[in-house]
Amino acid sequence: MADFGLIEAGGTKFVLGIADETRTIHARHQIPTTTPAETLGTAVAWFRDQGLIPEAIGIASFGPLDLNRASPTWGQITRTPKPHWTGADLIAPFTKAFACPVALDTDVNGAALSEYRWGAGVGHQSLLYLTIGTGIGGGFVSAGGHGGTLLHGLSHPEMGHIRIARHPQDQNYPGFCPFHGDCLEGLVAGPAVKGRWDASLSDLPTDHPAHAIIAWYIGQAICTFQAIMEPARIVLGGGVMHAPGLIEMVRESAVSWGGGYFTGDPAGIIVPPALGDNAGLLGALALVLDEEG
Ligand code: ZN
């Protein structure tokens, strides 16, 4: 059976894995994210040490990424504030080392595809995956292709950067997005919570107003995404969503913002991720299986 090299590339760590198309993960390993040369070199060395002769390699990465195959910078990380990584080529080190195809997309698109095929989306025609953590990103899968097709434009969607109305009790915080200030990510991602209340949502008491304010924003964003895509399932992942009780408050907020208009009742379609610890690697596997066709 063919083996695939899998990489979940995050801003603080890379998770490496080897799996086959039955989703059995034969080995996994974690390395810190330092510089591109060191981190990607260590990943190549680990795959070699495992004796891997990969059929293909799948990478689900933090972004933003250039995913336009006609572009001279295809496969590179673009305009990231993370030091050393702007312009890093994620593909070349692996094609050079293993002479095999490399599939690349964002971590959130990988998660969307794996949840659609094997998790919360099973039995449904479309799925939106939103991750709300250090940043905010979204991936949308609709029926078609070999098991769902990811939405792409010139590159991957940037759903975290939509404009959003300010909460009446949250008028002063400027937002932390270096490009837009108080876009959705600038107001709701982990650093925005810490920036206002000096703690993560999980560490604040459940009756702290921060929970209601953050849920109000996420519900509003979901209303916007429902208007554009009407997803059959909306999966909410990421560290901020670990706050106890938050998903229930988001459901209520989305119901209120939607006014009963959309197909798909937020109270029923907003769900947590169904895939556990292997979700990141399974995202990379979903991407690589697509590449294989
Ligand atoms: Zn922004």
Side-chain angles (χ1 to χ4, degrees):
M1 195 177 290
D3 277 333
F4 300 103
L6 306 176
I7 301 171
E8 178 192 2
T12 55
K13 65 176 196 288
F14 272 43
V15 180
L16 313 173
I18 296 171
D20 58 44
E21 65 250 41
T22 68
R23 281 178 276 144
T24 304
I25 294 174
H26 302 291
R28 59 182 291 155
H29 184 56
Q30 194 171 306
I31 59 175
T33 307
T34 57
T35 63
E38 185 178 40
T39 309
L40 300 171
T42 305
V44 166
W46 183 78
F47 285 136
R48 282 211 174 110
D49 287 348
Q50 300 299 308
L52 176 68
I53 301 166
E55 174 89 9
I57 288 176
I59 306 175
S61 177
F62 73 96
L65 305 171
D66 184 347
L67 297 179
N68 175 7
R69 284 177 186 260
S71 161
T73 55
W74 173 67
Q76 293 185 10
I77 293 182
T78 61
R79 47 176 206 286
T80 176
K82 189 170 173 52
H84 314 298
W85 286 83
T86 297
D89 188 336
L90 296 178
I91 291 179
F94 300 100
T95 49
K96 213 176 279 177
F98 299 108
C100 70
V102 177
L104 171 71
D105 211 319
T106 58
D107 41 10
V108 65
N109 267 349
L113 204 51
S114 60
E115 284 287 345
Y116 177 83
R117 288 187 186 160
W118 307 314
V122 171
H124 300 281
Q125 288 292 303
S126 57
L127 177 143
L128 171 67
Y129 186 99
L130 288 175
T131 181
I132 303 167
T134 314
I136 296 183
F140 179 69
V141 187
S142 56
H146 301 288
T149 301
L150 279 165
L151 175 70
H152 286 103
L154 289 172
S155 193
H156 50 84
E158 287 284 5
M159 299 188 199
H161 297 271
I162 59 169
R163 304 305 315 169
I164 196 132
R166 298 292 300 245
H167 190 281
Q169 269 91 58
D170 181 42
Q171 295 292 317
N172 297 324
Y173 177 68
F176 79 96
C177 176
F179 297 93
H180 318 112
D182 59 352
C183 63
L184 176 65
E185 177 172 293
L187 288 175
V188 174
V193 175
K194 283 222 170 81
R196 292 196 203 68
W197 298 294
D198 208 24
S200 71
L201 220 46
S202 305
D203 290 336
L204 292 167
T206 48
D207 59 349
H208 190 285
H211 292 85
I213 290 172
I214 293 300
W216 188 90
Y217 284 126
I218 299 173
Q220 185 187 165
I222 285 172
C223 177
T224 296
F225 298 135
Q226 280 197 287
I228 299 168
M229 294 168 279
E230 293 214 316
R233 275 289 177 274
I234 298 173
V235 183
L236 299 181
V240 171
M241 289 311 304
H242 293 162
L246 183 62
I247 195 165
E248 288 80 7
M249 295 175 85
V250 168
R251 286 187 186 119
E252 281 173 31
S253 166
V255 166
S256 165
W257 279 106
Y261 183 74
F262 303 115
T263 311
D265 177 6
I269 66 173
I270 295 172
V271 294
L275 302 172
D277 283 347
N278 289 329
L281 289 179
L282 291 178
L285 181 64
L287 297 174
V288 83
L289 291 176
D290 259 25
E291 182 83 10
E292 294 288 287

